[in-house]
Amino acid sequence: MAQLWVCSALLVQRVSGWYVMITVQWDVNPPQPMPHGEGIGIDVGLTSMIAT
């Protein structure tokens, strides 16, 4: 069973009303992917790439 901890809470008043922001820590065990044979890849045929 996963455990949940409240780390902090912040109460904020805005013109539209009161809000609470809660920060939590949640320990979970993600499922492991099941292997299903050979790995595959996708070739998109790029000859050059520019990042800005």
Side-chain angles (χ1 to χ4, degrees):
M1 182 169 169
Q3 294 183 354
L4 178 76
W5 292 273
V6 176
C7 297
S8 65
L10 178 64
L11 188 61
V12 178
Q13 182 183 18
R14 300 276 168 95
V15 175
S16 58
W18 288 88
Y19 299 90
V20 63
M21 295 186 295
I22 301 172
T23 305
V24 297
Q25 179 178 343
W26 189 7
D27 290 340
V28 294
N29 295 323
Q32 298 295 322
M34 296 189 63
H36 55 78
E38 300 275 336
I40 62 168
I42 299 173
D43 182 5
V44 294
L46 294 177
T47 57
S48 63
M49 187 170 86
I50 297 174
T52 60

